[in-house]
């Protein structure tokens, strides 16, 4: 039961209840139940995203061997997603959620491997510069953040900047 705070809310609740009553009398499903919404995790959308990521990795010039291997694995995962969708058709939600969780774990491992390869292939001076940049950006927040939180934010900042630098080098832009 919903709590009604005023007359305007009351009239809206009465109108909603009347609409639900008329839908129940006619035998139609409520709008929310009848409208099938896309979650964004449909197998075809996931596969297209993985294909796009693989294409972007193919263009990388730094740590190209690791990027090529990761791109090949992403294409395999895209193919698996499409095949699983074709085989299962109307998959139960719990099975689909488990598949997405397994995919997420695999993608997390691939991301960690790619970042490790990029970090290993990056010039020492670039990494030093990125860490100095992170220290300057985080200086105003040092007194309000814990050591663990600062370390995590610094690591994320350096990784993001390294990826941006790598992307710029691959597309021949300057930072």
């Amino acid at each position: 039961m919903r709590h009604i705070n005023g007359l305007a809310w009351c009239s809206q609740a009465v109108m909603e209840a009347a609409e639900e009553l008329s839908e129940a009398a006619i035998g139609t499903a409520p709008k929310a139940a009848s409208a099938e919404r896309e979650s964004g995790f449909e197998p075809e959308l996931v596969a297209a995203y993985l294909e796009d990521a693989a294409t972007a990795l193919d263009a990388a010039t730094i740590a190209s061997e690791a990027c090529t291997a990761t791109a090949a694995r992403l294409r395999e995962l895209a193919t698996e997603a499409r095949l699983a969708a074709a085989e299962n058709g109307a998959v139960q939600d719990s099975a689909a959620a488990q598949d997405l969780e397994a995919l997420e774990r695999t993608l997390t491992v691939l991301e960690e491997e790619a970042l490790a390869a990029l970090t290993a292939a990056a010039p020492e001076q670039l990494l030093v510069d990125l860490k100095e940049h992170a220290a300057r950006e985080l200086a105003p927040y040092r007194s309000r953040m814990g050591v663990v939180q600062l370390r995590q934010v610094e690591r994320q900042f350096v990784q993001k900047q390294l990826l941006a630098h790598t992307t710029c080098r691959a597309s021949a832009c300057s930072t």
Side-chain angles (χ1 to χ4, degrees), residues 19-80:
E19 187 176 327
E20 289 174 8
L21 182 63
S22 66
E23 288 173 350
I26 297 171
T28 61
K31 291 178 184 174
S34 64
E36 198 172 310
R37 294 177 34 201
E38 289 187 5
S39 68
F41 295 106
E42 290 74 26
E44 191 56 42
L45 291 175
V46 171
Y49 179 81
L50 294 174
E51 290 284 344
D52 290 344
T55 302
L57 282 171
D58 282 336
T61 57
I62 297 176
S64 59
E65 289 179 16
C67 290
T68 302
T70 303
R73 181 66 178 128
L74 289 177
R75 286 193 176 88
E76 290 173 12
L77 291 171
T79 302
E80 289 174 16

Side-chain angles (χ1 to χ4, degrees), residues 70-174:
T70 303
R73 181 66 178 128
L74 289 177
R75 286 193 176 88
E76 290 173 12
L77 291 171
T79 302
E80 289 174 16
R82 286 189 178 106
L83 289 174
E87 288 175 3
N88 295 335
V91 176
Q92 294 177 354
D93 289 341
S94 62
Q98 288 175 351
D99 289 345
L100 286 175
E101 289 174 6
L103 178 63
E104 180 183 12
R105 285 189 293 273
T106 302
L107 292 175
T108 300
V109 169
L110 290 174
E111 177 187 25
E112 290 170 356
E113 289 175 351
L115 284 170
L118 288 174
T119 303
E124 178 184 345
Q125 189 57 47
L126 173 63
L127 294 173
V128 170
D129 291 345
L130 290 176
K131 286 191 179 278
E132 287 175 355
H133 186 114
R136 283 192 307 273
E137 293 290 323
L138 290 172
Y141 306 103
R142 284 198 183 280
S143 63
R144 295 179 286 210
M145 295 171 73
V147 174
V148 173
Q149 189 179 18
L150 273 169
R151 186 78 175 134
Q152 182 180 16
V153 171
E154 178 186 337
R155 189 183 80 240
Q156 289 173 344
F157 179 86
V158 169
Q159 288 175 347
K160 188 174 183 177
Q161 292 299 314
L162 182 60
L163 287 172
H165 180 78
T166 302
T167 304
C168 278
R169 289 192 71 195
S171 62
C173 70
S174 60

